[in-house]
Amino acid sequence: MMKYLMFSLFFISSLLLYGQEINMELTFDWPNNTQDDDAFIEEFIASTPNDFQQYKLNERYTPTLSDLFEALHVIDLNNDGLKDVIFDGLSGGEPRLISIYINKGGYFDNVFDEYQQISNMEFNQGILSRLQIKDWDCCAGINETYRLYDVAYVNNKFIFKPIEAYRYLKTTDLPSKYWSETKTVRILNDNYNMRLSPKIDNTTEYYFELKPQLGNIIAQLPKRSIAVALAESIDETGRVWYFVAVPPFIRIRNSRILDFDDEIKSYKCGWISSRYVENID
């Protein structure tokens, strides 16, 4: 019981710091954040001859050097007056690739790689300080994941620290609006249903990993488990639903949302009824 309480306190304090910044609808606008400099991009491509081979094959169905120019974005990430580069393009396989290259004044250091797309970047005094990645799974995967990185710039070196990951099924109804402040709730009933959408639906046929299921239940939460409510919705009956993020240490039952062994463990997101939960903020 004491171990559970310590985990709960750590979880609540960490969500006050990071959880309120998650917005799964965020998109990143490259043209508003980068510089136009084709001559510099040509120099960059020449200085990284072993990279981006998928754009240099010159075959019928492969991307071209013109496509590579569109995928390379010039931006000063460490406020040193030198132009850095972010690659946001095809990886050569199914997923898209994000690669960050820092200009060292004569060569470029590849400091970060991740799949699939940047959804948000934050800067502190002109230096990259926070990075959010949206990963919609490749290879017919059924999940989408938002990964949040804290970025430190120490001794002229970037350090990317994964903080949190938020995962949900692709067919989840995401909120149209998120709260500016989250609230932590405790589940009062055992095997409390978490659903794809903010309504009770036990008849619609859904497919998860090619297997049919009746109803929109995607997991069950144990009694006294905690979650963080990020938004709410009211259905046609007047029932209030919370869109919640359930922390990784909670052992969700019968979950359709899965972690993989090589990933940081994620918060699992979905809708729960507000009727049998209590606020513990």
Side-chain angles (χ1 to χ4, degrees):
M1 182 67 179
M2 181 60 67
K3 182 177 180 181
Y4 183 88
L5 178 60
M6 291 175 64
F7 265 127
S8 300
L9 292 174
F10 172 78
F11 168 71
I12 294 169
S13 64
S14 68
L15 259 292
L16 291 175
L17 180 61
Y18 298 115
Q20 296 181 40
E21 300 176 16
I22 291 295
N23 182 339
M24 296 166 194
E25 293 294 320
L26 283 177
T27 56
F28 190 74
D29 188 354
W30 279 117
N32 289 339
N33 290 276
T34 56
Q35 309 169 30
D36 290 327
D37 196 332
D38 287 350
F40 177 78
I41 290 178
E42 286 183 359
E43 294 176 7
F44 170 77
I45 294 173
S47 69
T48 53
N50 296 322
D51 297 349
F52 319 117
Q53 293 300 311
Q54 64 273 25
Y55 289 89
K56 304 173 183 178
L57 295 175
N58 196 29
E59 296 177 356
R60 184 175 181 181
Y61 295 109
T62 59
T64 65
L65 283 175
S66 178
D67 296 321
L68 179 56
F69 268 74
E70 294 295 322
L72 295 172
H73 305 278
V74 181
I75 182 171
D76 185 356
L77 295 171
N78 53 2
N79 201 25
D80 64 355
L82 297 177
K83 298 173 182 178
D84 307 309
V85 176
I86 298 180
F87 170 74
D88 176 7
L90 302 176
S91 66
E94 184 170 339
R96 293 181 62 83
L97 177 65
I98 298 292
S99 296
I100 296 178
Y101 293 81
I102 301 302
N103 190 339
K104 294 296 187 176
Y107 70 96
F108 291 87
D109 188 11
N110 182 193
V111 299
F112 180 82
D113 292 299
E114 181 57 287
Y115 303 106
Q116 302 246 8
Q117 183 181 66
I118 292 176
S119 62
N120 195 34
M121 291 198 300
E122 297 178 18
F123 291 80
N124 183 10
Q125 297 182 349
I127 299 174
L128 180 66
S129 61
R130 190 67 55 83
L131 183 65
Q132 188 170 307
I133 299 289
K134 179 181 180 180
D135 182 352
W136 52 85
D137 269 2
C138 73
C139 313
I142 63 174
N143 297 308
E144 287 191 348
T145 307
Y146 272 81
R147 297 188 181 92
L148 184 64
Y149 290 84
D150 202 6
V151 186
Y153 190 61
V154 182
N155 296 325
N156 297 320
K157 182 180 180 180
F158 275 110
I159 301 171
F160 294 82
K161 179 184 177 182
I163 301 171
E164 296 172 346
Y166 289 70
R167 175 166 291 179
Y168 54 91
L169 295 173
K170 289 182 178 180
T171 48
T172 301
D173 288 351
L174 294 178
S176 58
K177 182 179 180 181
Y178 290 81
W179 290 331
S180 59
E181 294 187 7
T182 62
K183 58 184 176 183
T184 307
V185 299
R186 179 183 289 116
I187 307 303
L188 299 179
N189 289 358
D190 200 22
N191 294 323
Y192 205 60
N193 290 327
M194 186 162 71
R195 297 177 182 265
L196 279 172
S197 48
K199 62 182 179 181
I200 294 176
D201 177 0
N202 297 319
T203 59
T204 301
E205 187 173 72
Y206 294 89
Y207 280 80
F208 303 103
E209 297 178 327
L210 303 181
K211 299 177 181 178
Q213 168 190 301
L214 290 180
N216 63 351
I217 296 173
I218 56 173
Q220 293 175 314
L221 307 181
K223 184 177 181 178
R224 297 190 59 78
S225 59
I226 61 176
V228 169
L230 306 173
E232 72 176 12
S233 179
I234 302 175
D235 68 18
E236 60 185 11
T237 71
R239 184 189 294 261
V240 177
W241 296 84
Y242 290 156
F243 185 73
V244 298
V246 181
F249 61 84
I250 299 295
R251 294 187 177 180
I252 298 177
R253 299 164 184 162
N254 304 314
S255 177
R256 296 290 188 178
I257 312 171
L258 303 176
D259 282 315
F260 299 98
D261 291 339
D262 61 344
E263 297 178 322
I264 61 173
K265 303 308 178 185
S266 60
Y267 295 82
K268 309 303 185 298
C269 298
W271 293 93
I272 63 171
S273 169
S274 67
R275 289 192 177 181
Y276 298 102
V277 303
E278 63 178 355
N279 297 340
I280 59 174
D281 285 347

